[in-house]
Amino acid sequence: MNPEQRLEGGFLTDEVVQVGGTVRRTAGSHSTFTAGILNYLHDAGFAAAPQYLGRDEQERDILEFIPGNISERGNTIGRNENSYAVAATLLRTMHDLTAGCALAGCEECVIHGDIGPFNTIFRDEVPVAFIDWDFCRPGQRLSDVGYMAWQWCLLIGDTVEDEARRLSSLNAAYGLFTAEQLLDAMLKTQEKNIAYTLQRLNLASNTQARESAEDALDWARRCREHTQRHADLYVTAMR
């Protein structure tokens, strides 16, 4: 039996461990849908997501372990300039594959829901797979792309010109939305994140949880203000 090695967990998951070539995650209400979409993508030949392998004797979800590195929130370490276009192309492929499938229901497609670089496996500074599918659900393409654009391209402290270049690369690679549509989607996902984080703050049961929510809320509000202030430059670059 391979020893368990603790990994960083997803937002909804209490425990994530590596066991040999697999990842074991605490099952939850999201598990059934997540298993369904990962099985669907695997059957469709989409290699940029882990395969779902069932449940273990502790009733934990078993997923394929995909080796590589992640790029932490708030910096660009571990990714090169091509990574924005590659990530957008992978996301477009996933959306295209799930558009109209039964799991998408009445929505446009299935979305990842938390498609940041911190939920992406990189090799040689290029993204190869998306992980942590806790928030996957039926939805609209643009909400995923807007969230990706925000989380991947906007880093307060970098030059606005660098941010604009990343946005242009990402949007061109996805290849479906205008500059104005993507900017609007970024602002909307920031607003949703602020509202969600406010709920977390109101429900926080201890000092650590409150401080975490307060930090996240401050960061999201600064991102929204930053996006609004530089909106014209971003749109011009993406055109």
Side-chain angles (χ1 to χ4, degrees), residues 51-125:
Q51 183 180 1
Y52 181 79
L53 301 171
R55 294 276 179 91
D56 67 8
E57 65 280 356
Q58 299 181 44
E59 286 300 304
R60 297 178 298 188
D61 291 324
I62 308 174
L63 304 168
E64 171 194 9
F65 174 75
I66 301 176
N69 305 298
I70 63 170
S71 182
E72 297 289 348
R73 187 193 301 271
N75 64 56
T76 59
I77 296 173
R79 47 187 151 132
N80 65 32
E81 282 298 308
N82 293 326
S83 65
Y84 305 94
V86 173
T89 300
L90 291 176
L91 186 62
R92 173 70 187 267
T93 301
M94 189 270 283
H95 288 165
D96 287 348
L97 286 172
T98 60
C101 77
L103 289 166
C106 298
E107 293 287 353
E108 190 174 19
C109 63
V110 174
I111 65 173
H112 181 280
D114 194 16
I115 197 77
F118 43 83
N119 283 333
T120 303
I121 299 295
F122 291 77
R123 296 195 201 116
D124 297 324
E125 299 190 338

Side-chain angles (χ1 to χ4, degrees), residues 12 25-33 55 59 61:
L12 298 182
R25 299 168 62 92
T26 304
S29 59
H30 58 284
S31 293
T32 299
F33 187 85
R55 294 276 179 91
E59 286 300 304
D61 291 324

